[in-house]
Amino acid sequence: MTSDGLLPTTIREAAADLRAGRHTAVGLTAALIERTESLNPTLGAFVTVTAEHALEAAVAADRDFAAGVDRGPLQGIPLAVKDIIATRDAPTTANSRVLDPAWGAGVDAPVVERLRDAGAVIIGKATTSEFACGLPDPDKGFAVPRNPWNIEHSAGGSSSGTGVAIAAGLVLGGLGTDTGGSVRFPAALNGHTGLKVTFGRVPKNGVVPLAYTLDSVGPMARSAEDCALLLEAIAGHHEGDRYCVDIGVPRYSTLLTGNVDGIRIGVPMPYFFDDEGLDDEVRAAVLAAIDVLGDAGAAVEETVVPHAREAKVANTITMGAEAFAYHRDDLVTRWSDYGRHTRMTLGRAALFSAADYAQAQRFRSYFMREVAELFESYDVLVTPAWPSPARRIDAMASEDMVVGPSFSGPWNLAGLPAVAVPCGFSTDGLPLSMQIVAKPFAEDIVLLVADAYQRVTDWHLRTPPIARAQQSSLAINS
Amino acid sequence: MPANTMPANTMPANTMPTHTMPANTVEKVKALLAAAQLTVSDDELERFVAVYPTMRAQADSLYLRHLKDEELALGFDPSAPAHDDWSLT
């Protein structure tokens, strides 16, 4: 696959360009900042652009290249960081008037520190749904993120800005967080790849919490290979996160063989493919993608995920209860300072009981065991990543999360790795996406299957017209 | 100009308007919000009431008979393989 313009579209491509002297980190960074300054007012991808600090990091990367110092494939690569993750050079707002402005000031979250150690260039703080939940409220003074494929449509959430920035070519990758689908949702709607990691695979200290037993920080980029490169940098134990697991970090990118021969794919038809909330075009595209994997040698079989619908509910209750605990005092005293959708989302948790939370954890025990048995028979499960293409922003309500299906939340409940992978477009020109799920810490397997699919398709490399128009007007002054 | 987000008083499908609710549903929701010390607008109360029966039914769906002897997943540790043959990568 090749990129379609002057700027590299993937981390792997940019890394090769930088080492071959076709570009410099400063030239690449400056070009993407220029593109960001042009498109951000329309797309609302960034809360803060740290241009000066980014260029300083790019200068350092070029200096290292010149000195023969190579910190790995992220050296000199421009990235976005979701604005609930602390960075030392910009405030963290969580897109909220409620968060203490001093929160995280002057420090990097471990995941950011690791990216900087790898030589990455942080371009800025990307828009998030307020506190990683709810929908945008333009009355609160933060930009509404817009889908670059159609700006009247949703960019998904909550890692909206990172998703928009990648799809529009403002950065080559970035970080999101995922508690019920917040990496996979924007990846699906904006047409790129997003990996929700195993709970405990990546440290989440230095990140504004949403739900303590569900939150994860995950890589977002055009391709599965790029997600692997990002994951190699950010994964691994950190003593500041009590949930972060102390096991080795594979070189994920070296495990992407492109070979799915013999890989056992389970396709859970009930709920994931027959729920009335599933869009027909999504269903057809995902089934076609599964056929591609089958043609490549994977063994495909229909299966059942027991009580998947209830797993979505248990995830919702768990998320709601844990988030409410964090926000309660502010909800009581500063209700109107929250965005109108955020406070409804958080407030709904008050309608559940303490017993409901306990029962959700009992259900979680059961569900994890049932899913574990399923993975004795299958290496991965493949489902739609999201039930529909991006909907119009003005047609969305916070209650949609209650009444609609979620194909992502069950995997947060079980703590499993899952990747969203572009697999087509709707008749309206909006991206469609499948989800690949595996057992705990099998990020290598989900990335292998995703990468194998992307070696024979190019959905993940398509760029929206708004980005192509910009691309043609920019040149890198290397 | 691009559209903004949905107006606050717009109801999604599959929820019920307040005037069709049993009176005790409205009172239950008021009591739950009061217990949580939340002060909401009339419009917001209507939205909470509209979605409450669906939420309650969903929560009730978790009380499955075969979970009777199930323990909580507190101390959740996904690093611990649920089966002996689960090898970590």
Side-chain angles (χ1 to χ4, degrees):
Chain A
M1 305 300 166
T2 59
S3 61
D4 63 352
L6 297 173
L7 299 177
T9 54
T10 66
I11 292 172
R12 179 60 88 191
E13 182 184 358
D17 287 351
L18 290 169
R19 282 158 184 77
R22 288 189 287 273
H23 302 311
T24 65
V26 168
L28 179 60
T29 301
L32 294 187
I33 289 173
E34 182 183 345
R35 182 184 284 181
T36 298
E37 288 171 345
S38 173
L39 288 178
N40 199 49
T42 301
L43 295 177
F46 283 97
V47 180
T48 306
V49 177
T50 51
E52 185 177 342
H53 293 287
L55 288 168
E56 287 173 3
V59 167
D62 284 335
R63 189 186 307 125
D64 280 347
F65 279 126
V69 177
D70 194 333
R71 302 179 192 279
L74 299 185
Q75 183 168 313
I77 300 297
L79 302 175
V81 173
K82 183 178 183 178
D83 196 23
I84 63 167
I85 303 173
T87 54
R88 65 176 185 241
D89 53 4
T92 301
T93 72
N95 274 51
S96 181
R97 292 181 174 183
V98 175
L99 185 67
D100 182 346
W103 188 94
V107 299
D108 282 337
V111 285
V112 174
E113 188 175 26
R114 290 174 181 182
L115 289 178
R116 293 195 204 275
D117 288 346
V121 174
I122 310 298
I123 281 202
K125 303 298 280 287
T127 305
T128 171
S129 307
E130 185 179 11
F131 284 113
C133 67
L135 299 168
D137 181 349
D139 296 338
K140 295 303 179 191
F142 292 94
V144 175
R146 297 183 179 282
N147 194 307
W149 293 93
N150 185 331
I151 62 171
E152 302 289 351
H153 287 245
S154 169
S158 63
S159 309
S160 326
T162 307
V164 171
I166 292 165
L170 311 185
V171 293
L172 295 173
L175 297 182
T177 62
D178 195 315
T179 306
S182 287
V183 161
R184 290 159 287 167
F185 184 17
L189 267 53
N190 295 301
H192 61 82
T193 307
L195 175 65
K196 178 254 180 249
V197 302
T198 307
F199 184 80
R201 174 70 288 185
V202 173
K204 60 186 176 62
N205 43 324
V207 181
V208 180
L210 176 57
Y212 303 97
T213 68
L214 298 169
D215 290 342
S216 60
V217 180
M220 303 169 73
R222 282 210 171 274
S223 69
E225 183 185 27
D226 284 357
C227 286
L229 295 171
L230 288 163
L231 183 59
E232 290 172 12
I234 64 174
H237 182 249
H238 190 283
E239 62 186 10
D241 177 3
R242 63 180 298 175
Y243 295 107
C244 197
V245 178
D246 190 6
I247 61 171
V249 179
R251 289 283 305 277
Y252 294 103
S253 61
T254 67
L255 303 174
L256 307 180
T257 63
N259 182 10
V260 293
D261 193 30
I263 291 280
R264 300 166 301 167
I265 296 177
V267 183
M269 299 305 288
Y271 184 61
F272 294 99
F273 286 90
D274 68 5
D275 188 277
E276 64 180 16
L278 176 62
D279 179 89
D280 289 342
E281 289 187 299
V282 174
R283 185 179 195 276
V286 174
L287 290 175
I290 292 168
D291 285 343
V292 170
L293 292 168
D295 291 344
V300 179
E301 184 176 277
E302 292 187 10
T303 188
V304 176
V305 174
H307 292 290
R309 190 179 309 276
E310 287 76 18
K312 176 253 186 179
V313 173
N315 194 69
T316 299
I317 292 173
T318 304
M319 185 191 317
E322 295 181 8
F324 191 90
Y326 177 81
H327 287 282
R328 196 206 74 145
D329 287 354
D330 287 327
L331 288 168
V332 169
T333 59
R334 304 181 62 185
W335 177 259
S336 297
D337 285 343
Y338 285 91
R340 63 191 187 216
H341 302 291
T342 310
R343 63 188 187 236
M344 292 299 294
T345 300
L346 293 171
R348 278 198 299 273
L351 305 184
F352 292 122
S353 69
D356 293 338
Y357 179 77
Q359 188 65 11
Q361 307 322 303
R362 296 175 77 204
F363 177 88
R364 178 190 269 192
S365 297
Y366 158 78
F367 185 68
M368 289 176 68
R369 195 170 59 249
E370 291 294 308
V371 170
E373 287 185 13
L374 208 53
F375 281 115
E376 289 182 345
S377 301
Y378 304 105
D379 297 302
V380 296
L381 302 176
V382 177
T383 77
W386 203 255
S388 69
R391 297 174 58 194
R392 285 186 61 88
I393 294 171
D394 57 6
M396 298 178 72
S398 70
E399 287 85 352
D400 293 343
M401 290 181 277
V402 177
V403 297
S406 168
F407 304 143
S408 52
W411 314 121
N412 294 82
L413 189 75
L416 304 182
V419 65
V421 180
C423 65
F425 284 84
S426 71
T427 51
D428 293 332
L430 293 165
L432 309 174
S433 181
M434 70 170 157
Q435 176 177 230
I436 302 164
V437 188
K439 63 188 179 184
F441 296 96
E443 278 82 1
D444 56 337
I445 302 295
V446 297
L447 290 170
L448 181 150
V449 175
D451 173 70
Y453 178 75
Q454 292 181 339
R455 291 187 187 208
V456 295
T457 61
D458 68 353
W459 305 114
H460 61 295
L461 297 176
R462 307 279 181 97
T463 54
I466 196 171
R468 289 199 293 272
Q470 277 295 312
Q471 188 137 19
S472 63
S473 68
L474 287 174
I476 300 177
N477 299 312
S478 298
Chain B
M1 283 292 290
N4 279 330
T5 52
M6 189 178 193
N9 61 354
T10 305
M11 291 291 202
N14 299 331
T15 58
M16 298 171 67
T18 306
H19 66 272
T20 66
M21 289 287 176
N24 67 341
T25 299
V26 179
E27 294 309 312
K28 277 183 190 172
V29 171
K30 283 183 177 177
L32 290 167
L33 293 173
Q37 304 178 53
L38 300 184
T39 305
V40 306
S41 68
D42 290 345
D43 171 67
E44 288 168 339
L45 174 62
E46 184 173 355
R47 294 173 70 87
F48 282 126
V49 169
V51 79
Y52 178 72
T54 300
M55 291 177 59
R56 190 61 254 156
Q58 290 177 342
D60 288 342
S61 75
L62 296 184
Y63 292 83
L64 299 163
R65 182 172 296 276
H66 61 268
L67 299 187
K68 186 170 178 57
D69 297 321
E70 199 71 57
E71 297 279 350
L72 270 63
L74 294 178
F76 176 58
D77 180 8
S79 68
H83 290 269
D84 293 340
D85 60 347
W86 278 29
S87 60
L88 300 181
T89 310

